[in-house]
Amino acid sequence: MDQATATAALTQVGLNLNVSDQQFSETVAKGLVISSDPEPGAQAKSGSNVDVILSLGPERYAVPKVSGLTLDQATAALTEAKLAVGKTTEDFDPTIAASQVVSSDPPEGTELKSGTVVNLVVSKGPKPVKLPDLAGSTYDDAKAQLEAAGLVVTKSQEFSNDYAEGQVITSKPAPGEKVDVGTGVELVVSKGPPPVEVPYLVDMPKDDAISLLESLGLNYEVNEPPVTPLGRVLSQDPAPGTMVPQGSTVTITII
């Protein structure tokens, strides 16, 4: 019976109900009488008390919130909740710092019997990032891709015959390496081909001068009068030793 019904039943026979204790019970629902003293059928003086024990229902304890706690803190919280730590495993997590608890199994709020073990997943921090091969990408595209992966990007520049100005040559650390989130990555960006030093062409035969300019990746323009008895370079522009971009034009005058 519940307390009210039990009280009424005892009143009808001239007895009083006294709640002497409350206990957990796996078989008697919360709020109902577990037992009485004297027991049912016993004789009692009119007006005397009958002590009863009321049920608290099944003994259950809620799993506390442990996400974000250290393992020691989570263990203390579970112990306080009359639960125990079971198996702990580690896994990468993008938001929970390393050594902090990610989740519990059963999850937070689950009602469990006293002493039940709760398994915990502990963070190893964010999963390492495998650096992609960004060669040939523009600096802005490569930077955006790396920053989206949680990396810190810096830039350096080098001359390159293989990559156009503004394209990524490589990265440091190198493509394929794994790095932690937050690691700095240097993008090496092309400044285009290295400049060419204009050679000394004066007094060189015309054809030899043209061949040399072509071998250096330079264009040429020839000033040649109708008659050139020597067929040699009289003058040049730019002057010898001038540093110019590949593809620049060198003008030679033939005599």
Side-chain angles (χ1 to χ4, degrees):
M1 297 181 183
D2 60 29
Q3 183 175 349
T5 304
T7 298
L10 290 173
T11 299
Q12 288 181 355
V13 295
L15 299 173
N16 302 314
L17 181 140
N18 176 59
V19 178
S20 61
D21 198 6
Q22 297 185 71
Q23 298 177 2
F24 292 106
S25 174
E26 294 293 322
T27 57
V28 180
K30 182 178 181 179
L32 303 185
V33 175
I34 297 174
S35 62
S36 65
D37 182 23
E39 296 181 350
Q43 299 295 314
K45 292 182 179 180
S46 178
S48 63
N49 290 338
V50 176
D51 295 330
V52 299
I53 298 174
L54 292 180
S55 174
L56 294 171
E59 184 179 13
R60 298 290 185 270
Y61 298 94
V63 176
K65 183 181 185 301
V66 293
S67 177
L69 302 181
T70 65
L71 185 56
D72 287 345
Q73 291 171 332
T75 299
L78 289 169
T79 300
E80 186 176 350
K82 299 189 183 297
L83 301 171
V85 175
K87 180 180 179 181
T88 61
T89 56
E90 292 186 321
D91 198 4
F92 295 110
D93 189 273
T95 57
I96 303 297
S99 301
Q100 293 184 349
V101 175
V102 177
S103 61
S104 63
D105 180 25
E108 174 188 351
T110 305
E111 299 281 338
L112 301 173
K113 292 182 179 180
S114 176
T116 300
V117 297
V118 177
N119 299 322
L120 300 176
V121 177
V122 179
S123 174
K124 295 196 291 184
K127 187 175 182 179
V129 178
K130 183 178 181 180
L131 291 178
D133 186 355
L134 298 168
S137 302
T138 66
Y139 171 73
D140 288 342
D141 287 347
K143 180 174 184 286
Q145 185 173 338
L146 294 178
E147 288 182 339
L151 303 176
V152 179
V153 179
T154 58
K155 178 182 180 181
S156 65
Q157 291 183 296
E158 294 179 2
F159 291 111
S160 174
N161 288 316
D162 299 319
Y163 296 95
E165 183 177 359
Q167 289 185 332
V168 173
I169 301 172
T170 187
S171 64
K172 298 177 183 180
E177 292 192 33
K178 292 184 177 180
V179 297
D180 293 332
V181 170
T183 298
V185 177
E186 178 185 334
L187 289 175
V188 182
V189 180
S190 173
K191 295 196 289 184
V196 179
E197 181 178 354
V198 177
Y200 186 86
L201 302 172
V202 174
D203 202 35
M204 186 178 291
K206 180 181 76 171
D207 291 344
D208 291 350
I210 290 173
S211 295
L212 178 56
L213 291 173
E214 289 178 336
S215 70
L216 294 173
L218 296 173
N219 296 319
Y220 60 89
E221 184 176 313
V222 180
N223 289 330
E224 189 172 9
V227 179
T228 53
L230 299 179
R232 292 177 176 272
V233 177
L234 174 65
S235 63
Q236 65 181 82
D237 182 30
T242 304
M243 303 299 293
V244 296
Q246 283 191 20
S248 297
T249 297
V250 177
T251 301
I252 57 175
T253 300
I254 308 300
I255 187 172

PDB file of all heavy atoms in Angstrom, residues 90-122:
ATOM      1  N   GLU A  90      41.342   5.812 -25.796  1.00  0.00           N
ATOM      2  CA  GLU A  90      41.761   7.112 -26.310  1.00  0.00           C
ATOM      3  C   GLU A  90      41.328   7.266 -27.764  1.00  0.00           C
ATOM      4  O   GLU A  90      41.316   6.298 -28.524  1.00  0.00           O
ATOM      5  CB  GLU A  90      43.277   7.278 -26.207  1.00  0.00           C
ATOM      6  CG  GLU A  90      43.800   7.380 -24.787  1.00  0.00           C
ATOM      7  CD  GLU A  90      45.283   7.676 -24.743  1.00  0.00           C
ATOM      8  OE1 GLU A  90      46.020   7.114 -25.576  1.00  0.00           O
ATOM      9  OE2 GLU A  90      45.697   8.481 -23.894  1.00  0.00           O
ATOM     10  N   ASP A  91      40.992   8.496 -28.130  1.00  0.00           N
ATOM     11  CA  ASP A  91      40.610   8.769 -29.516  1.00  0.00           C
ATOM     12  C   ASP A  91      40.885  10.242 -29.818  1.00  0.00           C
ATOM     13  O   ASP A  91      40.923  11.076 -28.910  1.00  0.00           O
ATOM     14  CB  ASP A  91      39.128   8.456 -29.737  1.00  0.00           C
ATOM     15  CG  ASP A  91      38.779   8.293 -31.206  1.00  0.00           C
ATOM     16  OD1 ASP A  91      39.702   8.339 -32.048  1.00  0.00           O
ATOM     17  OD2 ASP A  91      37.585   8.113 -31.525  1.00  0.00           O
ATOM     18  N   PHE A  92      41.090  10.537 -31.098  1.00  0.00           N
ATOM     19  CA  PHE A  92      41.279  11.930 -31.503  1.00  0.00           C
ATOM     20  C   PHE A  92      39.957  12.682 -31.408  1.00  0.00           C
ATOM     21  O   PHE A  92      38.889  12.107 -31.637  1.00  0.00           O
ATOM     22  CB  PHE A  92      41.801  12.002 -32.940  1.00  0.00           C
ATOM     23  CG  PHE A  92      43.169  11.403 -33.110  1.00  0.00           C
ATOM     24  CD1 PHE A  92      43.347  10.218 -33.801  1.00  0.00           C
ATOM     25  CD2 PHE A  92      44.285  12.039 -32.582  1.00  0.00           C
ATOM     26  CE1 PHE A  92      44.607   9.674 -33.960  1.00  0.00           C
ATOM     27  CE2 PHE A  92      45.547  11.500 -32.732  1.00  0.00           C
ATOM     28  CZ  PHE A  92      45.711  10.313 -33.428  1.00  0.00           C
ATOM     29  N   ASP A  93      40.036  13.951 -31.065  1.00  0.00           N
ATOM     30  CA  ASP A  93      38.840  14.789 -31.009  1.00  0.00           C
ATOM     31  C   ASP A  93      39.202  16.207 -31.408  1.00  0.00           C
ATOM     32  O   ASP A  93      40.187  16.762 -30.892  1.00  0.00           O
ATOM     33  CB  ASP A  93      38.228  14.784 -29.601  1.00  0.00           C
ATOM     34  CG  ASP A  93      36.875  15.465 -29.582  1.00  0.00           C
ATOM     35  OD1 ASP A  93      36.839  16.702 -29.414  1.00  0.00           O
ATOM     36  OD2 ASP A  93      35.849  14.774 -29.728  1.00  0.00           O
ATOM     37  N   PRO A  94      38.420  16.817 -32.321  1.00  0.00           N
ATOM     38  CA  PRO A  94      38.786  18.144 -32.816  1.00  0.00           C
ATOM     39  C   PRO A  94      38.556  19.280 -31.827  1.00  0.00           C
ATOM     40  O   PRO A  94      39.103  20.370 -32.004  1.00  0.00           O
ATOM     41  CB  PRO A  94      37.880  18.311 -34.053  1.00  0.00           C
ATOM     42  CG  PRO A  94      36.699  17.445 -33.771  1.00  0.00           C
ATOM     43  CD  PRO A  94      37.244  16.272 -33.002  1.00  0.00           C
ATOM     44  N   THR A  95      37.758  19.048 -30.784  1.00  0.00           N
ATOM     45  CA  THR A  95      37.404  20.150 -29.885  1.00  0.00           C
ATOM     46  C   THR A  95      37.854  19.936 -28.441  1.00  0.00           C
ATOM     47  O   THR A  95      38.048  20.913 -27.715  1.00  0.00           O
ATOM     48  CB  THR A  95      35.880  20.378 -29.889  1.00  0.00           C
ATOM     49  OG1 THR A  95      35.212  19.158 -29.516  1.00  0.00           O
ATOM     50  CG2 THR A  95      35.403  20.785 -31.285  1.00  0.00           C
ATOM     51  N   ILE A  96      37.985  18.691 -28.003  1.00  0.00           N
ATOM     52  CA  ILE A  96      38.376  18.400 -26.617  1.00  0.00           C
ATOM     53  C   ILE A  96      39.891  18.267 -26.540  1.00  0.00           C
ATOM     54  O   ILE A  96      40.492  17.518 -27.300  1.00  0.00           O
ATOM     55  CB  ILE A  96      37.706  17.113 -26.102  1.00  0.00           C
ATOM     56  CG1 ILE A  96      36.184  17.211 -26.211  1.00  0.00           C
ATOM     57  CG2 ILE A  96      38.107  16.853 -24.652  1.00  0.00           C
ATOM     58  CD1 ILE A  96      35.554  18.295 -25.386  1.00  0.00           C
ATOM     59  N   ALA A  97      40.505  18.987 -25.607  1.00  0.00           N
ATOM     60  CA  ALA A  97      41.960  18.978 -25.474  1.00  0.00           C
ATOM     61  C   ALA A  97      42.461  17.597 -25.062  1.00  0.00           C
ATOM     62  O   ALA A  97      41.733  16.807 -24.434  1.00  0.00           O
ATOM     63  CB  ALA A  97      42.392  20.023 -24.444  1.00  0.00           C
ATOM     64  N   ALA A  98      43.703  17.315 -25.408  1.00  0.00           N
ATOM     65  CA  ALA A  98      44.316  16.034 -25.055  1.00  0.00           C
ATOM     66  C   ALA A  98      44.269  15.826 -23.549  1.00  0.00           C
ATOM     67  O   ALA A  98      44.401  16.769 -22.757  1.00  0.00           O
ATOM     68  CB  ALA A  98      45.752  15.994 -25.550  1.00  0.00           C
ATOM     69  N   SER A  99      44.033  14.555 -23.147  1.00  0.00           N
ATOM     70  CA  SER A  99      43.975  14.115 -21.738  1.00  0.00           C
ATOM     71  C   SER A  99      42.664  14.474 -21.055  1.00  0.00           C
ATOM     72  O   SER A  99      42.491  14.169 -19.866  1.00  0.00           O
ATOM     73  CB  SER A  99      45.154  14.675 -20.914  1.00  0.00           C
ATOM     74  OG  SER A  99      46.381  14.238 -21.471  1.00  0.00           O
ATOM     75  N   GLN A 100      41.731  15.101 -21.766  1.00  0.00           N
ATOM     76  CA  GLN A 100      40.418  15.365 -21.188  1.00  0.00           C
ATOM     77  C   GLN A 100      39.399  14.354 -21.720  1.00  0.00           C
ATOM     78  O   GLN A 100      39.544  13.832 -22.823  1.00  0.00           O
ATOM     79  CB  GLN A 100      39.959  16.787 -21.512  1.00  0.00           C
ATOM     80  CG  GLN A 100      40.797  17.853 -20.833  1.00  0.00           C
ATOM     81  CD  GLN A 100      40.275  19.252 -21.098  1.00  0.00           C
ATOM     82  OE1 GLN A 100      39.412  19.466 -21.939  1.00  0.00           O
ATOM     83  NE2 GLN A 100      40.805  20.237 -20.379  1.00  0.00           N
ATOM     84  N   VAL A 101      38.371  14.106 -20.916  1.00  0.00           N
ATOM     85  CA  VAL A 101      37.355  13.116 -21.275  1.00  0.00           C
ATOM     86  C   VAL A 101      36.461  13.652 -22.386  1.00  0.00           C
ATOM     87  O   VAL A 101      35.989  14.787 -22.326  1.00  0.00           O
ATOM     88  CB  VAL A 101      36.504  12.730 -20.046  1.00  0.00           C
ATOM     89  CG1 VAL A 101      35.366  11.795 -20.443  1.00  0.00           C
ATOM     90  CG2 VAL A 101      37.382  12.070 -18.986  1.00  0.00           C
ATOM     91  N   VAL A 102      36.247  12.822 -23.397  1.00  0.00           N
ATOM     92  CA  VAL A 102      35.378  13.189 -24.511  1.00  0.00           C
ATOM     93  C   VAL A 102      33.935  12.792 -24.219  1.00  0.00           C
ATOM     94  O   VAL A 102      33.005  13.586 -24.376  1.00  0.00           O
ATOM     95  CB  VAL A 102      35.844  12.499 -25.816  1.00  0.00           C
ATOM     96  CG1 VAL A 102      34.891  12.822 -26.970  1.00  0.00           C
ATOM     97  CG2 VAL A 102      37.257  12.919 -26.162  1.00  0.00           C
ATOM     98  N   SER A 103      33.730  11.551 -23.760  1.00  0.00           N
ATOM     99  CA  SER A 103      32.366  11.045 -23.549  1.00  0.00           C
ATOM    100  C   SER A 103      32.387   9.866 -22.599  1.00  0.00           C
ATOM    101  O   SER A 103      33.457   9.339 -22.258  1.00  0.00           O
ATOM    102  CB  SER A 103      31.746  10.623 -24.892  1.00  0.00           C
ATOM    103  OG  SER A 103      32.511   9.581 -25.472  1.00  0.00           O
ATOM    104  N   SER A 104      31.198   9.464 -22.179  1.00  0.00           N
ATOM    105  CA  SER A 104      31.046   8.304 -21.299  1.00  0.00           C
ATOM    106  C   SER A 104      30.066   7.325 -21.925  1.00  0.00           C
ATOM    107  O   SER A 104      29.222   7.681 -22.733  1.00  0.00           O
ATOM    108  CB  SER A 104      30.538   8.730 -19.915  1.00  0.00           C
ATOM    109  OG  SER A 104      29.240   9.304 -20.022  1.00  0.00           O
ATOM    110  N   ASP A 105      30.199   6.077 -21.529  1.00  0.00           N
ATOM    111  CA  ASP A 105      29.286   5.015 -21.971  1.00  0.00           C
ATOM    112  C   ASP A 105      28.951   4.151 -20.764  1.00  0.00           C
ATOM    113  O   ASP A 105      29.832   3.473 -20.234  1.00  0.00           O
ATOM    114  CB  ASP A 105      29.942   4.162 -23.058  1.00  0.00           C
ATOM    115  CG  ASP A 105      29.016   3.051 -23.549  1.00  0.00           C
ATOM    116  OD1 ASP A 105      27.781   3.212 -23.437  1.00  0.00           O
ATOM    117  OD2 ASP A 105      29.531   2.032 -24.032  1.00  0.00           O
ATOM    118  N   PRO A 106      27.693   4.222 -20.276  1.00  0.00           N
ATOM    119  CA  PRO A 106      26.511   4.942 -20.779  1.00  0.00           C
ATOM    120  C   PRO A 106      26.693   6.467 -20.702  1.00  0.00           C
ATOM    121  O   PRO A 106      27.517   6.957 -19.935  1.00  0.00           O
ATOM    122  CB  PRO A 106      25.386   4.476 -19.840  1.00  0.00           C
ATOM    123  CG  PRO A 106      25.881   3.211 -19.231  1.00  0.00           C
ATOM    124  CD  PRO A 106      27.355   3.364 -19.119  1.00  0.00           C
ATOM    125  N   PRO A 107      25.889   7.195 -21.489  1.00  0.00           N
ATOM    126  CA  PRO A 107      26.041   8.653 -21.532  1.00  0.00           C
ATOM    127  C   PRO A 107      25.509   9.353 -20.289  1.00  0.00           C
ATOM    128  O   PRO A 107      24.826   8.741 -19.448  1.00  0.00           O
ATOM    129  CB  PRO A 107      25.226   9.043 -22.769  1.00  0.00           C
ATOM    130  CG  PRO A 107      24.223   7.954 -22.936  1.00  0.00           C
ATOM    131  CD  PRO A 107      24.887   6.702 -22.457  1.00  0.00           C
ATOM    132  N   GLU A 108      25.835  10.629 -20.208  1.00  0.00           N
ATOM    133  CA  GLU A 108      25.395  11.477 -19.097  1.00  0.00           C
ATOM    134  C   GLU A 108      23.886  11.372 -18.884  1.00  0.00           C
ATOM    135  O   GLU A 108      23.106  11.372 -19.829  1.00  0.00           O
ATOM    136  CB  GLU A 108      25.763  12.929 -19.403  1.00  0.00           C
ATOM    137  CG  GLU A 108      25.247  13.939 -18.408  1.00  0.00           C
ATOM    138  CD  GLU A 108      25.465  15.370 -18.872  1.00  0.00           C
ATOM    139  OE1 GLU A 108      26.162  15.594 -19.876  1.00  0.00           O
ATOM    140  OE2 GLU A 108      24.904  16.280 -18.209  1.00  0.00           O
ATOM    141  N   GLY A 109      23.489  11.274 -17.594  1.00  0.00           N
ATOM    142  CA  GLY A 109      22.076  11.239 -17.244  1.00  0.00           C
ATOM    143  C   GLY A 109      21.477   9.854 -17.141  1.00  0.00           C
ATOM    144  O   GLY A 109      20.372   9.691 -16.601  1.00  0.00           O
ATOM    145  N   THR A 110      22.180   8.822 -17.624  1.00  0.00           N
ATOM    146  CA  THR A 110      21.664   7.457 -17.542  1.00  0.00           C
ATOM    147  C   THR A 110      21.599   7.016 -16.089  1.00  0.00           C
ATOM    148  O   THR A 110      22.542   7.209 -15.319  1.00  0.00           O
ATOM    149  CB  THR A 110      22.556   6.488 -18.336  1.00  0.00           C
ATOM    150  OG1 THR A 110      22.678   6.951 -19.683  1.00  0.00           O
ATOM    151  CG2 THR A 110      21.983   5.092 -18.332  1.00  0.00           C
ATOM    152  N   GLU A 111      20.474   6.406 -15.684  1.00  0.00           N
ATOM    153  CA  GLU A 111      20.292   5.926 -14.312  1.00  0.00           C
ATOM    154  C   GLU A 111      20.872   4.517 -14.195  1.00  0.00           C
ATOM    155  O   GLU A 111      20.475   3.611 -14.932  1.00  0.00           O
ATOM    156  CB  GLU A 111      18.811   5.916 -13.942  1.00  0.00           C
ATOM    157  CG  GLU A 111      18.144   7.291 -13.981  1.00  0.00           C
ATOM    158  CD  GLU A 111      18.464   8.122 -12.746  1.00  0.00           C
ATOM    159  OE1 GLU A 111      18.829   7.527 -11.718  1.00  0.00           O
ATOM    160  OE2 GLU A 111      18.362   9.362 -12.813  1.00  0.00           O
ATOM    161  N   LEU A 112      21.790   4.325 -13.234  1.00  0.00           N
ATOM    162  CA  LEU A 112      22.477   3.039 -13.078  1.00  0.00           C
ATOM    163  C   LEU A 112      22.452   2.593 -11.619  1.00  0.00           C
ATOM    164  O   LEU A 112      22.314   3.404 -10.703  1.00  0.00           O
ATOM    165  CB  LEU A 112      23.936   3.162 -13.531  1.00  0.00           C
ATOM    166  CG  LEU A 112      24.192   3.595 -14.976  1.00  0.00           C
ATOM    167  CD1 LEU A 112      25.685   3.817 -15.188  1.00  0.00           C
ATOM    168  CD2 LEU A 112      23.656   2.561 -15.957  1.00  0.00           C
ATOM    169  N   LYS A 113      22.611   1.271 -11.418  1.00  0.00           N
ATOM    170  CA  LYS A 113      22.735   0.744 -10.063  1.00  0.00           C
ATOM    171  C   LYS A 113      24.055   1.197  -9.443  1.00  0.00           C
ATOM    172  O   LYS A 113      25.030   1.463 -10.157  1.00  0.00           O
ATOM    173  CB  LYS A 113      22.698  -0.787 -10.088  1.00  0.00           C
ATOM    174  CG  LYS A 113      21.360  -1.379 -10.487  1.00  0.00           C
ATOM    175  CD  LYS A 113      21.419  -2.903 -10.435  1.00  0.00           C
ATOM    176  CE  LYS A 113      20.082  -3.518 -10.815  1.00  0.00           C
ATOM    177  NZ  LYS A 113      20.120  -5.002 -10.778  1.00  0.00           N
ATOM    178  N   SER A 114      24.098   1.255  -8.123  1.00  0.00           N
ATOM    179  CA  SER A 114      25.310   1.638  -7.414  1.00  0.00           C
ATOM    180  C   SER A 114      26.448   0.693  -7.790  1.00  0.00           C
ATOM    181  O   SER A 114      26.273  -0.523  -7.864  1.00  0.00           O
ATOM    182  CB  SER A 114      25.058   1.568  -5.902  1.00  0.00           C
ATOM    183  OG  SER A 114      26.234   1.855  -5.187  1.00  0.00           O
ATOM    184  N   GLY A 115      27.614   1.284  -8.055  1.00  0.00           N
ATOM    185  CA  GLY A 115      28.782   0.479  -8.364  1.00  0.00           C
ATOM    186  C   GLY A 115      28.933   0.094  -9.820  1.00  0.00           C
ATOM    187  O   GLY A 115      29.931  -0.530 -10.197  1.00  0.00           O
ATOM    188  N   THR A 116      27.958   0.458 -10.656  1.00  0.00           N
ATOM    189  CA  THR A 116      28.048   0.127 -12.077  1.00  0.00           C
ATOM    190  C   THR A 116      29.236   0.858 -12.710  1.00  0.00           C
ATOM    191  O   THR A 116      29.505   2.015 -12.396  1.00  0.00           O
ATOM    192  CB  THR A 116      26.757   0.522 -12.815  1.00  0.00           C
ATOM    193  OG1 THR A 116      25.667  -0.194 -12.241  1.00  0.00           O
ATOM    194  CG2 THR A 116      26.846   0.187 -14.296  1.00  0.00           C
ATOM    195  N   VAL A 117      29.943   0.154 -13.600  1.00  0.00           N
ATOM    196  CA  VAL A 117      31.096   0.775 -14.236  1.00  0.00           C
ATOM    197  C   VAL A 117      30.652   1.619 -15.427  1.00  0.00           C
ATOM    198  O   VAL A 117      29.687   1.280 -16.120  1.00  0.00           O
ATOM    199  CB  VAL A 117      32.134  -0.270 -14.696  1.00  0.00           C
ATOM    200  CG1 VAL A 117      32.701  -1.016 -13.507  1.00  0.00           C
ATOM    201  CG2 VAL A 117      31.551  -1.217 -15.713  1.00  0.00           C
ATOM    202  N   VAL A 118      31.360   2.724 -15.622  1.00  0.00           N
ATOM    203  CA  VAL A 118      31.114   3.637 -16.733  1.00  0.00           C
ATOM    204  C   VAL A 118      32.406   3.740 -17.541  1.00  0.00           C
ATOM    205  O   VAL A 118      33.459   4.078 -16.997  1.00  0.00           O
ATOM    206  CB  VAL A 118      30.692   5.033 -16.225  1.00  0.00           C
ATOM    207  CG1 VAL A 118      30.510   5.998 -17.395  1.00  0.00           C
ATOM    208  CG2 VAL A 118      29.399   4.926 -15.414  1.00  0.00           C
ATOM    209  N   ASN A 119      32.329   3.414 -18.817  1.00  0.00           N
ATOM    210  CA  ASN A 119      33.506   3.484 -19.689  1.00  0.00           C
ATOM    211  C   ASN A 119      33.716   4.919 -20.177  1.00  0.00           C
ATOM    212  O   ASN A 119      32.752   5.646 -20.435  1.00  0.00           O
ATOM    213  CB  ASN A 119      33.342   2.553 -20.890  1.00  0.00           C
ATOM    214  CG  ASN A 119      33.191   1.107 -20.453  1.00  0.00           C
ATOM    215  OD1 ASN A 119      33.839   0.659 -19.499  1.00  0.00           O
ATOM    216  ND2 ASN A 119      32.348   0.369 -21.139  1.00  0.00           N
ATOM    217  N   LEU A 120      34.977   5.293 -20.319  1.00  0.00           N
ATOM    218  CA  LEU A 120      35.307   6.666 -20.710  1.00  0.00           C
ATOM    219  C   LEU A 120      36.182   6.689 -21.965  1.00  0.00           C
ATOM    220  O   LEU A 120      37.022   5.804 -22.153  1.00  0.00           O
ATOM    221  CB  LEU A 120      36.058   7.377 -19.581  1.00  0.00           C
ATOM    222  CG  LEU A 120      35.321   7.510 -18.239  1.00  0.00           C
ATOM    223  CD1 LEU A 120      36.240   8.149 -17.200  1.00  0.00           C
ATOM    224  CD2 LEU A 120      34.050   8.317 -18.394  1.00  0.00           C
ATOM    225  N   VAL A 121      35.940   7.693 -22.802  1.00  0.00           N
ATOM    226  CA  VAL A 121      36.801   7.961 -23.955  1.00  0.00           C
ATOM    227  C   VAL A 121      37.590   9.232 -23.644  1.00  0.00           C
ATOM    228  O   VAL A 121      37.005  10.275 -23.342  1.00  0.00           O
ATOM    229  CB  VAL A 121      35.990   8.145 -25.252  1.00  0.00           C
ATOM    230  CG1 VAL A 121      36.921   8.487 -26.410  1.00  0.00           C
ATOM    231  CG2 VAL A 121      35.194   6.878 -25.565  1.00  0.00           C
ATOM    232  N   VAL A 122      38.913   9.133 -23.716  1.00  0.00           N
ATOM    233  CA  VAL A 122      39.800  10.253 -23.392  1.00  0.00           C
ATOM    234  C   VAL A 122      40.417  10.791 -24.685  1.00  0.00           C
ATOM    235  O   VAL A 122      40.853  10.024 -25.546  1.00  0.00           O
ATOM    236  CB  VAL A 122      40.898   9.822 -22.406  1.00  0.00           C
ATOM    237  CG1 VAL A 122      41.837  10.987 -22.102  1.00  0.00           C
ATOM    238  CG2 VAL A 122      40.276   9.293 -21.118  1.00  0.00           C
TER     239      VAL A 122
END
